Amino acid sequence: MGPPGGGRNFITPRILGHMYLVGFPLLDDDNMMQIFNTILEWKFRAENYPTEVAALSKKMVQATLEIYKNTSSELRPTPMKVHYTFNLRDFSKVICGVLLLKKNECDGASRHVRLWAHEILRVFGDRLIDDTDREWMMHQLREQTKKNFQVSFDEIMIHLDVNKDGKVNTLDEVRTLFFGDMLSPASIPQRPYTECPDVAVLQKEIEAHLVSYNEMSSKPMDLVCFLYMLEHLARVARVIKSPGGNALLVGLGGSGRQSCTRLACYMADFTVFQIEIAKGYDMSAFREDMKKMLTKAGGNEERTIFLFSDTQIKDEGFVEDVNNLLNTGEIPNLFPAEETRHIVARCLGRERVAVCEMVRKAAADEGKAPAEREILKLQRDQVAFALACSQSLQDATLPMEVRHMAVCLLKNVLPAAAHPDTAKLLRAAILQALDDEALCCQAALCAGRLWKSAPWPELVPAVLALGQRGGELLGGHVVSALKVMQLLAEEGCTDAEMTEAALAALRAPISLQVAVAALQALAALLPAGTAAHQAATLSAALHALDQSQLRLEAYRLLEVCVSESYNVISIPALQQLVAATQTSIAGDSEEEALAAQELTRGSQGGLLRQAAPMLLPPLLEALQRKPTDPGWTLEDHLPTLSESACECLMAVSKVLGDELLQPVLGFVSSAMASQEIWHRRAALLAFGAIQEGPAMQTLQPLIRSALPRLLEALKAQELFEASAAAWALGRLLDVNPAAVPDESQAALFEVAVLRLRFAPSLAEELCYCLNGIVDQQASVLEPQLFGTVVESLLLGAAQAERESRVQLALFGCLCELLGRAGEDCLPQMQLVLTEVLRRIAAELGQHAAPVRSLLRCLRVLLLRNAEINSSQVAELLAGTLHLEPTEEVRCVCCAKVDAVGCLRLDGCQMVGDDE
């Protein structure tokens, strides 16, 4: 248990008092020899390595132990070499590297001694940063080779003797010692790990791999294969080949870190997974990407490399998740319980096959031929496993829980387990399960996946018959039949007869549940339907709008209709749709209004253009509605209906452009003159919503004439009105900054800072506004006002809720201001530095996110002001943390000893260079 940080949390003495504390002492030399010697001897004996190689096991462990102890004692971490920390993981990596060379690649004891030296250089040598340390490591290798293996280092490495002096004692000569799997073609599944004695041959092979990669990739790489590049490529390839391998690639931008990684992954037949940073990319989006990656790697058994750059660290939580992944192999609470059950069921199928295969091999070893034949007959691969599941599914004597698990497991191995010889049996089991109401949904997913391998004609009649009795649809099974149709369509299995059956169920529904199920089924079936079916579906959905209980599902179906078949909508149908949408937006039901707005916002430009004259009045009215929750405050999100109406108006503005100005500006003018606060708030939101779409030359005079009124609204006592004004001004500066004169920006800046100081509940909207002003005005900001703004931002961040959106917005605005302030504000930054350090000390160890946000500010300060003395900052940092002057000050993010140099020079890996 270590100090807090790096994924460890502080544990109070009160809690520790209820625990048993177990201490583990460091292993002594005898224990380490016993552990690693046992591993090597077992491997060499189990795979029948040559006798001269097996005899090296104890010598290798002894030599590695002495290298490990000498390196740990001689190469100590310093402020310039903080990564010189060695532990038993490094010891084990050397042993695991030796085990990579298979028996058929052995060439006497000399090759294994060279392999041992190569692994020492990769694990220990690659961490060294100067030639003095590398030459010391070279001396250690020569000494331990002579001492433990009783051979001459020069003799076994004679092929590396470049200068032909009979000795291999220079760093340039040892650089050409290569082991790896780079000489094998990329298509070989088990590429052997072997020695690469000729650098020229290796270079030609790598160039051939590069040509093959460029032929297959949409982003070819123009690389030059020289010795330095080959070294790094070999290092990355070795990490990829090692189980659970991971590496931190350090270098300047453009030095080839990603290119070498992508080429090495291609050679090893790995898939590169990399997140794509976009505007609005946050922690939830990162977690979704992690789900996709881990599902591919673990659930689908795709060999995957996660390539993560420091410029992609938009949130410190990204690094925390990666840290957990490296330490424990998982990200806590990443998958909900339902998804976990599906993943476990999918993996369970593979595990059962693996267990049966182990039993089969054990039976064969013991000469039990009958047992071997039975196991091979029952479950040899996925096909046999699918057949076993189908038999359990058909057995009506089994409990329902067992049959449900069988159909879930069957779903997880399809369509990979589909085979022409067994398809008939699988289809029969699935059709039988479709007739069982408790199993029909999972069976439908099985049917859809089996359909992907080969369509089968019996499926559609069976589904239609599921809800029929005497030729007519009855209520007992109709809902199940429609649900099965929906699931089949989502899996890609569609048919005209299923669409007609769903339309028939919707036109004459037996119950409300049947009608809802029919609407959901049609939404899934529509994209693959004919034009006639699309027109009929549109007509049925418009008819369903007349029933209030079906209106929500009808709007969802109409959204699909408008997206997939807008061209087949007739003028009367379009007018009916627009009228219904207008009625719902203006109605009393908030859910219906939201569904109608979602339909309008997600539809094509043609519908928006047709619907705009009728939709504008209810949309503007929806903007004025008060929140339905009487306890709503500015700390909450915008009212759901108001937010949706504002977004819908923004979409309409992009389509209609200048045509929208006259009606909206008329509404804004009248609403701003109202005494009702929610009317004025709606006017401000509407003015902000139309900033994108109309021509700039049309908007510019309108914006300039509206600026005084917007500033007045920003000063309003009513916080609801002021927040809307701040958002409208922020959007104006974000979309049309050139329309705001410099003098207006300066006045707006002063008002925004004043409001930030005395109205902290407006902080998030004010920061949106301030960010736009900082982009334009920070470089001409006077020092006195600069200090006031910084003080206000720090005060607001201290008062905001921990890790809230408001606090993150305030810290982001502060970093932006510090980075863009003019040169005359640099003296003020010394005072800001002291205050930031004081706040770091106050927050340290309690709330990780605020500390790291403050560290971003500290880093900006150090980067902006080169006159700030590093030792002075270190002294201040030590003082604020109550350390002795002789104590080392470590970076709280990446544990480097030189915290100031970490932030200013080479960059903290946790904070990111782009901040």
Side-chain angles (χ1 to χ4, degrees):
M1 185 174 65
R8 297 181 295 268
N9 295 321
F10 176 72
I11 303 177
T12 64
R14 186 174 181 179
I15 295 180
L16 285 178
H18 296 277
M19 309 290 180
Y20 287 106
L21 297 182
V22 181
F24 290 88
L26 294 176
L27 295 175
D28 57 25
D29 293 355
D30 292 340
N31 286 329
M32 287 191 283
M33 284 290 297
Q34 180 68 28
I35 292 170
F36 293 110
N37 189 43
T38 302
I39 294 173
L40 278 179
E41 286 185 347
W42 170 82
K43 178 71 172 181
F44 290 156
R45 183 174 62 253
E47 298 192 4
N48 296 320
Y49 276 71
T51 306
E52 63 272 21
V53 174
L56 294 176
S57 59
K58 190 171 183 179
K59 297 177 181 179
M60 282 185 179
V61 176
Q62 182 63 44
T64 307
L65 176 61
E66 295 191 22
I67 290 280
Y68 167 67
K69 290 171 61 179
N70 293 341
T71 304
S72 300
S73 60
E74 296 295 330
L75 302 181
R76 304 289 295 171
T78 66
M80 292 296 294
K81 304 173 182 178
V82 292
H83 59 292
Y84 278 23
T85 54
F86 305 95
N87 53 42
L88 280 179
R89 288 182 181 176
D90 302 309
F91 198 137
S92 66
K93 286 176 183 176
V94 175
I95 302 302
C96 291
V98 170
L99 297 178
L100 290 175
L101 193 70
K102 300 302 180 183
K103 180 184 69 172
N104 54 359
E105 296 295 332
C106 291
D107 188 18
S110 297
R111 174 168 289 182
H112 260 76
V113 176
R114 291 195 296 271
L115 171 64
W116 170 83
H118 173 268
E119 298 306 311
I120 291 290
L121 289 173
R122 295 288 74 79
V123 174
F124 294 99
D126 284 347
R127 206 176 299 182
L128 309 181
I129 64 172
D130 57 43
D131 288 344
T132 303
D133 294 342
R134 296 189 186 103
E135 289 173 356
W136 179 88
M137 180 59 68
M138 176 83 169
H139 174 72
Q140 290 293 314
L141 278 176
R142 295 176 61 86
E143 182 179 332
Q144 296 302 326
T145 303
K146 183 67 175 177
K147 178 181 176 180
N148 288 287
F149 297 102
Q150 290 82 43
V151 295
S152 169
F153 186 83
D154 298 324
E155 291 178 2
I156 63 171
M157 302 286 184
I158 191 63
H159 64 289
L160 305 180
D161 184 13
V162 178
N163 53 15
K164 306 302 180 182
D165 61 351
K167 295 183 178 180
V168 181
N169 57 359
T170 65
L171 296 178
D172 287 337
E173 290 174 325
V174 178
R175 286 177 62 190
T176 56
L177 177 62
F178 286 105
F179 278 80
D181 56 3
M182 295 87 70
L183 293 178
S184 303
S187 58
I188 296 180
Q190 298 292 334
R191 305 170 73 229
Y193 190 81
T194 186
E195 188 175 12
C196 309
D198 192 336
V199 177
V201 173
L202 176 62
Q203 181 178 349
K204 290 181 180 178
E205 193 67 35
I206 297 301
E207 289 173 347
H209 285 307
L210 180 60
V211 171
S212 176
Y213 173 86
N214 289 337
E215 290 175 351
M216 299 181 63
S217 174
S218 60
K219 296 181 179 180
M221 299 184 297
D222 187 12
L223 302 180
V224 178
C225 297
F226 59 106
L227 181 58
Y228 185 75
M229 178 265 193
L230 296 178
E231 286 182 274
H232 288 297
L233 183 66
R235 288 165 179 146
V236 175
R238 178 185 174 277
V239 170
I240 293 174
K241 192 171 185 66
S242 303
N246 57 85
L248 176 65
L249 308 182
V250 181
L252 298 175
S255 57
R257 293 169 295 175
Q258 294 195 31
S259 300
C260 280
T261 303
R262 293 182 187 279
L263 181 57
C265 290
Y266 169 75
M267 291 163 52
D269 197 23
F270 272 66
T271 300
V272 177
F273 184 90
Q274 193 169 19
I275 63 175
E276 296 181 4
I277 299 296
K279 186 176 182 180
Y281 191 90
D282 55 7
M283 194 64 195
S284 60
F286 180 76
R287 285 290 182 96
E288 287 300 319
D289 283 339
M290 290 299 98
K291 284 184 183 180
K292 294 177 185 176
M293 181 192 71
L294 295 177
T295 302
K296 287 174 59 179
N300 301 337
E301 290 189 313
E302 294 183 21
R303 304 197 298 173
T304 306
I305 287 292
F306 179 40
L307 186 57
F308 187 48
S309 170
D310 56 348
T311 59
Q312 295 173 329
I313 305 175
K314 293 193 67 177
D315 189 300
E316 57 271 7
F318 295 2
V319 183
E320 191 71 28
D321 283 350
V322 173
N323 181 50
N324 286 327
L325 200 58
L326 292 177
N327 284 332
T328 65
E330 66 171 345
I331 298 174
N333 303 319
L334 180 64
F335 291 97
E338 183 64 26
E339 292 185 30
T340 304
R341 282 195 291 271
H342 288 306
I343 294 172
V344 169
R346 182 190 307 172
C347 296
L348 213 59
R350 293 200 303 268
E351 291 301 322
R352 290 181 64 177
V353 173
V355 169
C356 290
E357 188 67 18
M358 290 173 62
V359 175
R360 184 188 67 79
K361 289 183 178 179
D365 292 342
E366 296 180 13
K368 298 179 180 179
E372 178 184 5
R373 285 195 298 269
E374 287 300 319
I375 293 171
L376 188 61
K377 180 180 178 181
L378 177 65
Q379 284 185 336
R380 184 174 184 178
D381 51 21
Q382 285 187 330
V383 176
F385 180 66
L387 285 175
C389 291
S390 66
Q391 291 171 6
S392 300
L393 185 58
Q394 288 178 295
D395 190 351
T397 63
L398 292 175
M400 182 55 66
E401 293 81 1
V402 176
R403 299 177 67 199
H404 189 270
M405 176 60 75
V407 73
C408 289
L409 291 174
L410 179 60
K411 177 192 67 177
N412 291 330
V413 297
L414 292 175
H419 191 275
D421 298 337
T422 61
K424 186 176 181 180
L425 296 174
L426 293 177
R427 292 171 182 175
I430 292 171
L431 290 175
Q432 180 180 336
L434 281 174
D435 203 33
D436 192 320
E437 191 170 358
L439 301 174
C440 65
C441 291
Q442 293 295 331
L445 294 174
C446 294
R449 296 182 184 186
L450 194 58
W451 179 281
K452 291 180 180 178
S453 61
W456 38 304
E458 303 93 345
L459 178 60
V460 174
V463 173
L464 296 174
L466 175 62
Q468 292 179 350
R469 184 172 301 170
E472 296 180 0
L473 289 170
L474 297 178
H477 295 285
V478 175
V479 174
S480 298
L482 292 168
K483 184 65 176 177
V484 168
M485 292 178 193
Q486 178 190 349
L487 294 172
L488 287 172
E490 290 172 354
E491 290 291 333
C493 173
T494 58
D495 186 87
E497 292 185 40
M498 290 197 296
T499 305
E500 292 169 2
L503 284 169
L506 182 59
R507 292 191 186 107
I510 300 172
S511 65
L512 178 63
Q513 290 79 8
V514 171
V516 170
L519 288 168
Q520 293 172 344
L522 286 169
L525 291 163
L526 181 67
T530 63
H533 284 148
Q534 290 175 349
T537 302
L538 175 66
S539 175
L542 289 172
H543 183 267
L545 286 176
D546 296 335
Q547 304 179 52
S548 59
Q549 299 95 331
L550 302 178
R551 206 164 286 156
L552 290 178
E553 290 298 334
Y555 273 126
R556 295 188 179 101
L557 176 56
L558 285 168
E559 189 176 348
V560 180
C561 291
V562 171
S563 174
E564 298 291 338
S565 54
Y566 178 76
N567 294 330
V568 303
I569 302 178
S570 63
I571 297 300
L574 183 62
Q575 292 173 347
Q576 184 182 354
L577 174 60
V578 171
T581 307
Q582 178 192 22
T583 304
S584 294
I585 293 177
D588 297 330
S589 172
E590 187 168 322
E591 289 185 348
E592 289 182 17
L594 287 172
Q597 290 176 10
E598 184 67 28
L599 167 63
T600 306
R601 187 165 65 248
S603 59
Q604 299 182 3
L607 176 60
L608 283 176
R609 190 172 297 278
Q610 294 281 342
M614 299 180 65
L615 291 182
L616 264 183
L619 279 178
L620 296 175
E621 182 185 350
L623 279 175
Q624 303 177 73
R625 292 192 192 179
K626 296 181 181 180
T628 54
D629 182 6
W632 181 82
T633 64
L634 280 177
E635 281 73 15
D636 302 324
H637 288 287
L638 280 172
T640 307
L641 184 58
S642 177
E643 180 184 30
S644 181
C646 187
E647 292 178 358
C648 189
L649 186 59
M650 291 163 65
V652 173
S653 176
K654 291 178 183 178
V655 173
L656 297 187
D658 291 350
E659 299 176 25
L660 192 71
L661 286 179
Q662 185 175 357
V664 173
L665 290 178
F667 165 78
V668 170
S669 178
S670 61
M672 285 301 294
S674 172
Q675 298 297 317
E676 174 61 44
I677 178 178
W678 291 100
H679 292 183
R680 298 198 300 273
R681 176 184 174 83
L684 294 166
L685 293 176
F687 188 76
I690 62 171
Q691 292 302 310
E692 193 171 1
M696 180 61 189
Q697 58 269 25
T698 307
L699 275 178
Q700 190 164 6
L702 298 174
I703 292 173
R704 296 196 175 187
S705 62
L707 279 173
R709 186 65 187 89
L710 290 171
L711 281 172
E712 183 181 347
L714 185 60
K715 300 175 186 177
Q717 295 297 321
E718 294 289 351
L719 296 182
F720 298 109
E721 182 179 355
S723 68
W727 177 84
L729 286 164
R731 178 162 170 78
L732 193 153
L733 290 163
D734 187 22
V735 179
N736 297 314
V740 185
D742 290 345
E743 58 274 12
S744 298
Q745 291 190 19
L748 174 57
F749 193 76
E750 293 182 5
V751 175
V753 171
L754 188 65
R755 296 247 64 178
L756 180 65
R757 197 174 186 85
F758 296 105
S761 57
L762 300 176
E764 189 173 4
E765 291 82 3
L766 288 171
C767 284
Y768 180 40
C769 181
L770 283 171
N771 280 332
I773 306 173
V774 165
D775 286 342
Q776 308 293 324
Q777 294 291 324
S779 58
V780 297
L781 195 64
E782 294 187 2
Q784 184 177 359
L785 185 56
F786 169 80
T788 303
V789 177
V790 171
E791 182 182 356
S792 301
L793 291 170
L794 286 171
L795 179 63
Q799 294 175 347
E801 183 181 351
R802 302 294 183 188
E803 303 182 18
S804 63
R805 301 191 326 272
V806 173
Q807 189 180 62
L808 294 177
L810 287 162
F811 277 133
C813 187
L814 177 60
C815 285
E816 187 77 12
L817 179 62
L818 292 174
R820 294 182 179 272
E823 296 294 328
D824 53 349
C825 295
L826 292 180
Q828 292 272 12
M829 292 188 186
Q830 184 69 43
L831 300 175
V832 178
L833 174 65
T834 306
E835 177 62 19
V836 168
L837 290 172
R838 187 187 68 79
R839 290 180 181 272
I840 289 175
E843 299 286 344
L844 193 62
Q846 301 176 11
H847 306 284
V851 167
R852 290 175 180 173
S853 298
L854 284 166
L855 280 174
R856 292 190 183 98
C857 300
L858 176 60
R859 186 177 183 204
V860 173
L861 287 167
L862 294 174
L863 292 173
R864 285 298 315 274
N865 197 344
E867 296 180 0
I868 296 179
N869 188 284
S870 295
S871 59
Q872 178 188 2
V873 176
E875 183 179 350
L876 286 170
L877 188 58
T880 54
L881 300 179
H882 306 293
L883 300 176
E884 295 296 330
T886 56
E887 292 187 67
E888 296 174 336
V889 182
R890 290 182 178 269
C891 172
V892 298
C893 290
C894 64
K896 290 187 178 181
V897 174
D898 182 11
V900 179
C902 171
L903 289 172
R904 169 185 276 157
L905 300 177
D906 51 355
C908 173
Q909 298 303 316
M910 299 284 284
V911 174
D913 290 336
D914 61 330
E915 298 288 349

